[in-house]
Amino acid sequence: MTDSARRGPSPARWLRRALGRSPSVPAPPEASLPPIRVAAVGDLAEGHALVVDGMVNGTGRDIAVFRSGGRFYALDDICTHQYASLADGWIEDGWVQCPVHAARFSLATGEALRPPATVPERTHRVELRGDGIWLWPGTPAAAGSGSPTVDRD
Ligand code: FES
């Protein structure tokens, strides 16, 4: 009898047998993180974006917060096509255009609106509280929403 036979199956093999399936079970959804104040409303001009570093927001991925049409939105910052910062893109009428290959994403839903990107961006909840822009990293934005409209610049 070999050494490994005496020890029995490896923990991974034992788990596979116990579960009756591969251990490649999808990861659970990211736990919602506490909200963070990312800027004052007046610090983010219409048609612009700021980036909240992944180490600061707790998700490990940079998140871009956009202002378009007086509303605020948040998406993962890196384009789902290749590697580009959407915060450096063109922002207009509720969408952002990637600065590298011109894919467009809906700011409200993250949907890829124009090729070459086909994978949507992940959205994050944004709210205005007082004069602050608050971000809930990892909490999806409510369908089709953004923050309430702000007329101030
Ligand atoms: S990197 Fe954004 S469209 Fe190609």
Side-chain angles (χ1 to χ4, degrees), residues 18-74:
L19 294 174
R21 62 180 188 232
S22 163
S24 60
V25 176
E30 187 172 83
S32 295
L33 297 163
I36 52 177
R37 185 181 188 276
V38 296
V41 170
D43 291 342
L44 187 54
E46 177 67 26
H48 287 74
L50 59 83
V51 177
V52 184
D53 187 276
M55 297 303 286
V56 172
N57 69 48
T59 66
R61 299 182 192 180
D62 292 353
I63 295 174
V65 178
F66 302 87
R67 182 171 183 169
S68 177
R71 294 181 185 267
F72 296 84
Y73 306 89

Side-chain angles (χ1 to χ4, degrees), residues 64-87:
V65 178
F66 302 87
R67 182 171 183 169
S68 177
R71 294 181 185 267
F72 296 84
Y73 306 89
L75 302 176
D76 279 357
D77 184 45
I78 301 304
C79 182
T80 60
H81 176 236
Q82 288 181 357
Y83 192 87
S85 169
L86 294 179

